[in-house]
Every structure is written in C-alpha cells, then in structure tokens.
C-alpha cells in the first residue's frame, strides 16, 4: 500500500513519487483525520523527502513506527510516529539495506518483525524491530528464498504465516514464522496460483487467502 491509516485512526500517511528537475524522488505526507466527517487536513511540516522510489508502506503493530520500501535504492526507510501530532522522524540507522528491488513491505500484526519481498533477488528479507527505537536488524537466516519475481507479501492476522506471490513462477510461497522472525516453508509450498499472481491478502479471521492475477484479470481464493 502507498497509503496507510494509523492504528489510532487519527492520521493518514501517503507515499509520493515525483520528478523534480528531471530527478525522481520519494516523499511522505501526513494528514489528520476529522473524527466526524473523515475529511483530511494536511499536517503542517509533515511532508518530508523519503528515498528514491517508494513502492509500499506499513506500520508496526504498536503504531509507533512507519516503514517504506524504496524499490529503486534497495532499502527500507524507518520513521517514528508522534502520537499527538502525526509528524514523522527518521529512526536511528535508517535507511536499512534490503535486497534488489524491494517491492512490498509488511509488518507482522502480532509480532515485532518486518518482511520485504525483493523482486530482483527472488527472496524475502526479514527484520526484527527494536521496539524502543524502531531500528531494524536482519533476523538469523535472512534473506529467505522465494519463487521467481516475488511481488507481494502478507502475514496472517495471528502472525503465524507469511505468504508471498511469485509473479513469474505462478505460485505462492508460504512460510511459518518462528518466535525470532525466521521463515520455514510449510509442507507443499509453493502453491500454484494462476499465471501472474500479484497482490495477496488474508481475511481478518485468518481462514482465507485471496490473490489477484494481472494476466488473467481474476482473483484466486484459497482456504
């Protein structure tokens, strides 16, 4: 996603990419949400430069930190979120190196981990979040092999499984997530999924997985 609603429901964060004097650059913008109307108001001083080409955003389960995948620079940028103002500040050590062409970044909704699908390396980077500072550190064994051109990644609501769509191998890699954020392929993985699987999501109950296919213009559903 290039737009994220903060866990508190008070703010919206948006990733922007634009050409300036022939050079492309990323930026992040923050908006306050009107609790009654839902209208957005730009937060003064919230627009900040952010990497080269932003491809996705995610927030950690606490809502303290926001992370952006920079697909051009091969990195993940980390920001702390001011809970009162919605302003963002760079976390120590950011940006953090990922693989080649990191596309989608997702934070574990039940744990303190961040996962990134690296299109160019056919793998997934896994990071542990420092819950005090927001800094990221690679977990043991990272990166983990995926299929051909992993486009999207998601985690089930319980934080037990990670799913990755592989666009050019036409399947979904599925992993169990251990207590340290390490990934182990589940039996039978990868699972065939259409021709060019792209976006993937898990329903809130954790019972079903849905995958879009940009070649077939359809959605595959799995239990």
């Amino acid at each position: 996603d290039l737009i994220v609603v903060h866990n508190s429901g008070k703010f919206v964060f948006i990733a922007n990419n634009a050409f300036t004097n022939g050079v492309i650059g990323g930026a992040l913008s923050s908006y306050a949400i009107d609790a009654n109307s839902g209208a957005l108001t730009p937060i003064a001083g919230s627009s900040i430069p952010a990497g080269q080409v932003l491809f996705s955003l995610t927030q950690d389960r606490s809502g303290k930190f926001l992370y952006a995948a920079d697909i051009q620079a091969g990195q993940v940028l980390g920001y702390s979120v001011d809970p009162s103002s919605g302003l963002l500040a760079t976390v120590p050590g950011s940006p953090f190196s990922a693989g080649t062409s990191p596309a989608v970044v997702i934070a574990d909704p039940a744990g303190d981990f961040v996962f990134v699908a690296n299109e160019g390396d056919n793998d997934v980077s896994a990071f542990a979040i420092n819950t005090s500072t927001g800094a990221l550190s690679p977990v043991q064994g990272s990166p983990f092999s995926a299929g051909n051109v992993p486009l999207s990644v998601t985690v089930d609501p319980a934080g037990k499984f990670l799913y990755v769509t592989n666009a050019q191998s036409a399947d979904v890699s599925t992993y169990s997530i251990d207590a340290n954020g390490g990934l182990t392929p589940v039996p039978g993985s990868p699972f065939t999924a259409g021709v060019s699987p792209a976006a993937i999501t898990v329903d809130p109950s954790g019972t079903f997985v849905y995958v879009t296919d940009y070649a077939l213009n359809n959605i595959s559903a799995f239990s």
Side-chain angles (χ1 to χ4, degrees):
D1 291 338
L2 289 174
I3 180 170
V4 166
V5 178
H6 189 253
N7 291 347
S8 67
K10 296 166 57 178
F11 311 113
V12 168
F13 305 108
I14 296 177
N16 310 285
N17 296 297
F19 279 99
T20 303
N21 298 322
V23 178
I24 192 169
L28 291 170
S29 299
S30 304
Y31 297 82
I33 302 174
D34 186 290
N36 295 314
S37 68
L40 302 181
T41 301
I43 297 172
S46 70
S47 183
I48 56 174
Q52 297 180 26
V53 179
L54 302 184
F55 206 80
S56 63
L57 293 175
T58 191
Q59 63 184 317
D60 79 312
R61 60 173 174 162
S62 71
K64 292 169 58 179
F65 306 111
L66 185 76
Y67 299 97
D70 185 336
I71 194 169
Q72 182 68 28
Q75 60 191 14
V76 175
L77 300 95
Y79 301 88
S80 59
V81 180
D82 186 301
S84 299
S85 67
L87 291 174
L88 303 175
T90 302
V91 304
S94 179
F96 305 96
S97 294
T100 304
S101 301
V104 174
V105 58
I106 190 75
D108 183 348
D112 298 310
F113 305 107
V114 167
F115 304 98
V116 188
N118 300 306
E119 290 184 16
D121 293 333
N122 297 333
D123 59 24
V124 177
S125 295
F127 301 91
I129 302 172
N130 182 313
T131 56
S132 297
T133 68
L136 300 180
S137 56
V139 306
Q140 186 173 0
S142 179
F144 300 91
S145 295
N148 195 7
V149 187
L151 280 185
S152 186
V153 58
T154 194
V155 180
D156 78 304
K160 299 169 77 172
F161 303 107
L162 181 88
Y163 302 91
V164 180
T165 55
N166 304 303
Q168 292 190 12
S169 51
D171 53 26
V172 174
S173 296
T174 305
Y175 311 83
S176 59
I177 304 171
D178 68 28
N180 298 311
L183 303 179
T184 301
V186 305
S189 177
F191 302 95
T192 300
V195 174
S196 298
I200 186 168
T201 192
V202 183
D203 86 299
S205 72
T207 305
F208 305 108
V209 174
Y210 299 94
V211 181
T212 64
D213 191 308
Y214 65 81
L216 299 177
N217 298 326
N218 63 18
I219 299 173
S220 295
F222 301 87
S223 58

